[in-house]
Amino acid sequence: MVGDGRRRPRKAGWAGLALAVIALLTPGSLPAVVILDSTWREEGGARGREADGFGAHIRLAGEAQFRSLMSLSYDEGETWGDGSGTWIGNDDSHGYVLTSAHNFDDATADEVVFRTDGGAMVRADRVWIHPRYDPEEDRTGVDAAIVRLVQPVRDSGPAPVLYAGRAEKGKIITFVGFGTRGIGSLGEDERFNQGSGKAAAQGMVEEAVALRRLSADAEDPGNYLTVFLPREDGRVENPLGGARRPASRLAGLLGVGDSGGSAWMPWGDGWVIVGINTSGDGKAQYGDNSWFVRVSGIRSWVSSVFPDARFASEQEPAPQRQGTESIASSTCEARKRVFALSDGAWYPARVLGPNGKSGACRIRFDGYSADMDEVADWNRMIPWAADGPGAEIDDCRPGMRVVAEEDEIWYPATVRKAGGKSCVVRYSDDDYDDEALPLARLRLLR
């Protein structure tokens, strides 16, 4: 959510990255993937058999829903696990891989090779980096890239579904990658590594921070998920206010080589991708954190690069909107004014024209440059009006679902209580405080 200093949640710890540091821990390297000491021992880990204790995490990564994960190599396949990526679908001639932007800080698309779940080695020919990513700054929440492969992927199961909702906080997620290994009491150690196969771990989402759209060079773009690793005995305080004991026996953290892999959440009868593995702090021991790019916050960018990406959220299909009329996909008239739904809020924008064969419209947000243009289908646009989207409201009723205006942007909120000529609202993104707003700054979409 765009806002002033009162609405900028604290970003805990350091989230800097180093590229492809596998065998040597150095200050600034991405911390190791670790698992609980207790699980490691239960799975056969012991002194002299350090690599034997990861069976449960390897089996978890091998489940069918995670087949789309791919390993990355910078040296023509001589070594694997330099990074990870997730295949998200094909067009007629290419496959597309979602990964971390920092995997390409010192590499170009034609310098990497991906290995599919079926064992095929596939080259890349193009990479798109998120426009707000900057390798010199902390850009954890926009550390995202999409890589185009020279051919479609046919051996990795069905294309996965990406999550576009806002219900990650408090959920257990499973993150998968090809990173190095360790245990919570020690962190990363080469004694725990064996081969280059994938492994998975789990964690509770302690923070789910919205993307901030203030400007391309905003100090902290937000848009991240945070996982904390407690000790089994609860002796380490959770600074984020969550549980002091692990969420499951498969709890863990990210590691070098996990970067670009994916974090998943059960949804309905299947699974959805909620995050991109990106960074961590400390030495990846008990009490440390891992961070993930929040996929829901980059939905529009992903769709602008690969329109066939599959998304799901609890907000779909879009509700009927009182006092409004949907914009048909066939009416992408240039210069038409609209409100466009992006990253959970309604922004004033202008239509640039149709987006080729996708049936959606290219749009430019008022006050933003061309590098922030998006592609939106008709479910994400409603006609512009000077007073705002939807219909005016005459009074406040607790529980009423509204959109609330700040700086001409309209954010989903729920009325908590009436206050004379104002309403106290709670924003859908719970990182922000309740706020009293006049009726003129509130509208009803349904």
Side-chain angles (χ1 to χ4, degrees):
M1 180 182 298
V2 178
D4 57 23
R6 295 179 294 110
R7 294 192 181 177
R8 294 182 63 82
R10 176 186 59 82
K11 178 69 168 69
W14 169 85
L17 302 168
L19 181 63
V21 181
I22 300 298
L24 179 65
L25 262 181
T26 62
S29 65
L30 184 65
V33 70
V34 300
I35 66 174
L36 299 174
D37 287 36
S38 57
T39 304
W40 174 73
R41 289 192 295 267
E42 291 167 2
E43 293 293 320
R47 180 173 296 183
R49 299 198 308 274
E50 286 82 1
D52 291 348
F54 293 83
H57 297 267
I58 294 170
R59 291 192 297 274
L60 177 60
E63 293 184 5
Q65 65 268 22
F66 306 132
R67 288 189 63 195
S68 55
L69 196 78
M70 306 176 79
S71 186
L72 181 154
S73 172
Y74 292 111
D75 59 6
E76 300 290 327
E78 292 294 323
T79 60
W80 292 99
D82 296 338
S84 304
T86 306
W87 169 68
I88 58 173
N90 300 324
D91 62 18
D92 293 339
S93 304
H94 305 277
Y96 291 81
V97 177
L98 185 65
T99 186
S100 290
H102 77 263
N103 284 337
F104 292 88
D105 283 353
D106 297 310
T108 59
D110 58 3
E111 294 175 329
V112 303
V113 180
F114 286 92
R115 185 178 63 197
T116 69
D117 180 77
M121 290 176 52
V122 188
R123 294 188 176 277
D125 66 0
R126 185 172 179 183
V127 60
W128 290 265
I129 304 297
H130 193 283
R132 292 182 64 181
Y133 174 72
D134 183 345
E136 302 301 322
E137 302 290 342
D138 178 3
R139 292 289 189 265
T140 298
V142 290
D143 182 13
I146 295 177
V147 181
R148 190 175 71 183
L149 306 177
V150 298
Q151 64 191 53
V153 173
R154 306 294 188 192
D155 60 357
S156 297
V161 176
L162 308 180
Y163 184 62
R166 305 173 70 81
E168 306 100 326
K169 188 173 180 179
K171 301 294 197 304
I172 295 177
I173 61 174
T174 300
F175 35 97
V176 194
F178 291 86
T180 50
R181 301 170 186 172
I183 57 176
S185 60
L186 298 176
E188 181 185 52
D189 193 302
E190 280 299 302
R191 291 174 295 174
F192 297 99
N193 294 332
Q194 180 175 306
S196 58
K198 63 184 175 183
Q202 296 179 334
M204 179 77 71
V205 176
E206 304 283 355
E207 295 179 304
V209 177
L211 177 70
R212 308 184 216 290
R213 295 182 56 93
L214 286 173
S215 66
D217 58 354
E219 179 181 351
D220 178 4
N223 197 54
Y224 55 84
L225 307 176
T226 307
V227 163
F228 169 81
L229 183 63
R231 287 180 62 101
E232 293 94 327
D233 57 14
R235 285 192 295 160
V236 177
E237 181 181 358
N238 186 335
L240 301 174
R244 295 176 64 124
R245 296 180 185 274
S248 82
R249 71 182 292 268
L250 297 175
L253 293 174
L254 294 175
V256 173
D258 284 331
S259 295
S262 41
W264 301 67
M265 180 176 76
W267 191 251
D269 295 330
W271 290 73
V272 290
I273 296 174
V274 298
I276 304 171
N277 305 342
T278 180
S279 64
D281 67 351
K283 297 180 180 179
Q285 296 175 298
Y286 291 124
D288 291 332
N289 303 281
S290 289
W291 288 291
F292 307 82
V293 177
R294 193 181 189 187
V295 167
S296 61
I298 60 171
R299 172 182 181 170
S300 299
W301 173 74
V302 171
S303 295
S304 70
V305 175
F306 179 48
D308 293 331
R310 302 171 63 202
F311 282 91
S313 85
E314 74 277 15
Q315 297 177 343
E316 295 181 345
Q320 294 296 316
R321 303 182 181 100
Q322 178 178 330
T324 67
E325 183 178 317
S326 295
I327 295 177
S329 58
S330 61
T331 60
C332 293
E333 300 173 13
R335 303 187 62 80
K336 179 190 290 288
R337 296 211 69 186
V338 297
F339 285 103
L341 181 64
S342 176
D343 306 316
W346 292 91
Y347 290 79
R350 290 185 183 274
V351 175
L352 300 177
N355 186 53
K357 65 179 182 180
S358 69
C361 303
R362 293 180 296 110
I363 58 172
R364 179 163 301 167
F365 298 101
D366 292 1
Y368 291 90
S369 60
D371 62 1
M372 302 295 283
D373 290 352
E374 293 184 3
V375 175
D377 59 36
W378 64 270
N379 280 323
R380 291 176 50 216
M381 293 184 290
I382 54 179
W384 183 88
D387 293 333
E392 64 180 349
I393 62 175
D394 298 322
D395 57 10
C396 301
R397 297 188 303 276
M400 180 186 292
R401 299 283 296 274
V402 297
V403 286
E405 183 269 340
E406 181 175 322
D407 296 330
E408 300 183 3
I409 301 166
W410 297 81
Y411 301 94
T414 302
V415 174
R416 303 291 293 173
K417 60 182 179 180
K421 294 184 178 181
S422 66
C423 303
V424 176
V425 301
R426 175 163 297 174
Y427 293 96
S428 297
D429 191 306
D430 57 10
D431 290 304
Y432 306 112
D433 297 334
D434 292 357
E435 188 171 6
L437 296 175
L439 293 179
R441 290 178 59 190
L442 300 173
R443 306 282 289 183
L444 188 66
L445 287 189
R446 55 169 152 172

